[in-house]
Structure formats: C-alpha cells, structure tokens
Amino acid sequence: DVKVTQSSRYLVKRTGEKVFLECVQDMDHENMFWYRQDPGLGLRLIYFSYDVKMKEKGDIPEGYSVSREKKERFSLILESASTNQTSMYLCASRELGLAGEFFGPGTRLTVL
Amino acid sequence: QQQVKQSPQSLIVQKGGISIINCAYENTAFDYFPWYQQFPGKGPALLIAIRPDVSEKKEGRFTISFNKSAKQFSLHIMDSQPGDSATYFCAANSGYSTLTFGKGTMLLVSP
C-alpha cells in the first residue's frame, strides 16, 4: 500500500520560531510537493521538487524554504513563523511522467 | 495564471440523488483532469481521472463527463450516499507540469 507520511498531525508554534515539517514517501517517486490548504482558497502550491537537491517555487513560496537531501524525504521550513502561516500543510508525491499525486494526511499548524 | 474554476462551493443532496460538480479550465494544453475526494482530517485522495481523448469515464457510482470544446468537465455521483459527504477538488495539468486545483466543493448528502 503506497504511503505518504507527515511527521506531525498537529503542531503549535510561536511567532518567530523556526518550524520544520517533514514528509516521507515510500513509493520511490521522483516528484514531491508541498501545499497549504485554507478555507475558500483550496490547495495552493508552495514548493515542489523534481529530484534530489532540486527545488522549484510554486505559487506562494514567500516565507518558506524546502530541503530534499534524499529521494524519499521532502522538508518544508518556515524560517520565522508568522500567524498568517497558520494553515493545513499537505505533502504529495508523484511518479515522474505520471499525473496523479498521492497526498499525506496533512499537518495542521497553528502559529500563536 | 492558469485557472480551474469549480462550482458550486457547497452542495446538499438527498440520499439516493445525483450530485453534480462542475469545473471549467482555460489552458487548452491541459491533458489530464483528476478529481480528488477529501474527508475531514484527511489528505485528498485521487478518486477518478480522465484524459481528453474520451468524453466520459465511469467508475462505479462516479462518472466524469468531459466537454473539450467548452473546456469543461464535471463529476457526477449517482445514488449519492451519506458516506460520500466530503470535499471534492477538480484539477488539471499537462505533461510534467504541476496540478492546478479548483477551490473545492463541500458535498453533504443528507440521510
């Protein structure tokens, strides 16, 4: 059974903290993605990666960075968390050349 | 920006009825149109998808209808059940590009 796992389901952080969200996939997929989901705004792409050590900006990269040191792991970093980054964060992966993405369960981040 | 416009925002259907969610796109290069289903507290899951070489695809009670000339596609849920209550997202992309998602439709199937 294919799986995308995220390190935390719920996370509470304070403004200004550095936050790491981890995502691991066991499907040997080349492509990995980070989205945030907010009511009324749908899914918005933050960053994605086509291969190890590669990263591309999505639609809303400001305030975020990513790291992909291993094929199966894709990390989202909030360098200095702010209240407007309170959201549901979703990680996804996709096999190169195929179009369907597999999503993790999400991390609900609250920044106080 | 490439857009996928989804409607309605929310939908209430009686058990046994037909749920219909519509999406329209602008980019004629799009060649893959998936629908995702998301239950509360879960990540979206791929439900059904279509490519533009066919006008309809059916999987169980779920059907995608595709109109290439109108640049529209829709999800039909036949014999809707309370367990179908979820948020549904349409999406589209082409080749190796990232998916463009609609804003979602919250479906409630009343018993």
Side-chain angles (χ1 to χ4, degrees):
Chain A
D1 195 18
V2 297
K3 221 168 184 180
V4 178
T5 57
Q6 295 183 229
S7 52
S8 305
R9 294 301 307 275
Y10 300 94
L11 209 53
V12 179
K13 295 293 182 180
R14 296 210 173 271
T15 302
E17 278 192 81
K18 191 169 186 177
V19 181
F20 292 87
L21 302 182
E22 304 284 340
C23 175
V24 177
Q25 51 98 359
D26 66 359
M27 296 167 280
D28 201 35
H29 286 171
E30 286 81 4
N31 303 164
M32 296 188 74
F33 308 84
W34 275 106
Y35 295 87
R36 63 176 284 176
Q37 183 176 18
D38 301 286
L41 298 178
L43 283 81
R44 294 181 291 168
L45 182 64
I46 304 171
Y47 267 97
F48 60 103
S49 169
Y50 283 130
D51 203 348
V52 176
K53 297 197 184 292
M54 289 181 60
K55 60 183 179 183
E56 298 284 343
K57 292 181 180 179
D59 299 319
I60 51 165
E62 296 79 18
Y64 303 94
S65 62
V66 291
S67 172
R68 193 162 180 207
E69 296 296 319
K70 293 185 177 182
K71 188 176 185 180
E72 68 271 17
R73 189 179 297 269
F74 192 34
S75 303
L76 180 69
I77 303 155
L78 287 66
E79 295 289 341
S80 177
S82 63
T83 55
N84 63 12
Q85 293 178 309
T86 292
S87 186
M88 169 70 86
Y89 289 89
L90 290 160
C91 175
S93 72
R94 182 177 82 188
E95 187 173 349
L96 186 65
L98 297 183
E101 292 181 18
F102 293 88
F103 283 85
T107 295
R108 183 162 294 283
L109 172 67
T110 301
V111 182
L112 301 176
Chain B
Q1 184 177 359
Q2 303 170 354
Q3 285 191 354
V4 175
K5 294 183 179 179
Q6 183 172 346
S7 63
Q9 264 189 308
S10 61
L11 182 61
I12 300 175
V13 173
Q14 286 198 326
K15 179 181 175 182
I18 302 174
S19 304
I20 302 174
I21 305 170
N22 300 298
C23 284
Y25 63 97
E26 299 172 353
N27 187 347
T28 55
F30 285 154
D31 62 2
Y32 177 73
F33 303 89
W35 285 90
Y36 284 83
Q37 180 188 55
Q38 184 180 28
F39 293 107
K42 305 283 187 181
L46 180 62
L47 183 64
I48 186 172
I50 197 169
R51 293 196 181 272
D53 52 343
V54 296
S55 60
E56 187 174 282
K57 184 174 181 180
K58 186 175 181 179
E59 290 185 3
R61 296 184 293 109
F62 299 90
T63 299
I64 299 179
S65 297
F66 183 79
N67 185 330
K68 189 173 182 178
S69 60
K71 294 188 286 185
Q72 294 176 347
F73 58 110
S74 59
L75 177 70
H76 292 66
I77 307 174
M78 312 301 287
D79 186 27
S80 298
Q81 299 297 312
D84 297 329
S85 298
T87 299
Y88 293 82
F89 293 94
C90 63
N93 76 344
S94 63
Y96 293 86
S97 71
T98 58
L99 282 168
T100 298
F101 284 89
K103 293 195 185 311
T105 297
M106 290 182 60
L107 171 65
L108 177 64
V109 181
S110 60

